[in-house]
Amino acid sequence: MINIILFGPPGSGKGTQAAKLVDRYQLVHISTGDLFRYEIGNKTPLGLEAKSYIDKGELVPDSVTIGMLNNKVEAHPEAKGFIFDGFPRTIPQAQALDTLLEEKDSPVAALLALQVDDAEIVERIKLRGKSSGRPDDNDEATIRNRIFVYKNETTPVFDYYNEQHKSHSINGVGGVEDIFERLCELIDAATK
Ligand code: UDP
Ligand code: MG
């Protein structure tokens, strides 16, 4: 199995690149944000709970997110590997992921972090908000809080995998194809 964490602040292009990587490597894409939005759309109890955090730009509690992620991984026994997009967002989530993948004897191969500065992120998310209809994309205070939460709670995950010599940074500003090729080079190097 090839397990890749696609990392980076909100609006850094994780979803765009994940779709291309899935195509090239035949992996299963798991975006916890997309999973929450699906639950919200169906007004499930999980969705209603998640919405109360997401609309403020806060993180959904670890226990909820980890449980949902575990279910999704277990639902794909045939997978050649996974692209985790927007997960893990905290150290406890990273530890839970490592435990889950240890059971499958297939650890995280690499964490690839897209680097985009705050001003560019805010502009991109506002633009996306016009078509995404996401409440969390259409309120500047919420966008700023997501960036704040990313820096405080999520960037330690980069260091966590760096201690395992798995973290890599990539410039996330530029052409989609150029960024994609850089990601592929890193994945090929990490899995050869
Ligand atoms: N979220 C969360 N945990 C996750 C994924 C998403 O708490 O594992 C929440 C969080 O409030 C975040 C929002 O869902 O701000 C949107 O996440 P998504 O990954 O879709 O947005 P992105 O960061 O890619 O813009
Ligand atoms: Mg996303």
Side-chain angles (χ1 to χ4, degrees), residues 7 91 111 154-165 167:
F7 196 76
I91 297 284
L111 177 151
T154 304
T155 56
V157 172
F158 183 95
D159 302 325
Y160 173 91
Y161 284 104
N162 207 26
E163 281 165 22
Q164 300 180 22
H165 310 290
S167 293

Side-chain angles (χ1 to χ4, degrees), residues 8-11 14 31-34 36-37 53-55 57-61 65 68 85-87 89 93 125 128 134 136-137 146:
K14 300 184 295 291
S31 159
T32 41
D34 288 349
F36 284 132
R37 280 184 288 278
Y53 297 95
I54 291 175
D55 286 355
E58 301 290 338
L59 294 183
V60 179
T65 306
M68 182 179 72
D85 160 2
F87 181 95
R89 267 173 149 93
Q93 289 179 17
I125 294 178
R128 179 172 76 184
R134 284 171 50 174
D136 64 336
D137 283 352
R146 286 159 65 192

Side-chain angles (χ1 to χ4, degrees), residues 6-19:
L6 205 49
F7 196 76
S12 56
K14 300 184 295 291
T16 303
Q17 294 296 338

Side-chain angles (χ1 to χ4, degrees), residues 5 17 25 27 30 42 52 56 59 65 71 74 96 99 102 106 119 130 135-136 142-143 167 169 173 178:
I5 297 171
Q17 294 296 338
Y25 295 97
L27 304 174
I30 300 185
N42 287 318
S52 66
K56 292 183 287 201
L59 294 183
T65 306
N71 288 341
E74 299 297 357
T99 302
E102 241 163 59
S106 72
K130 291 180 185 169
D136 64 336
T142 304
I143 297 170
S167 293
S169 291
V173 182
D178 292 341

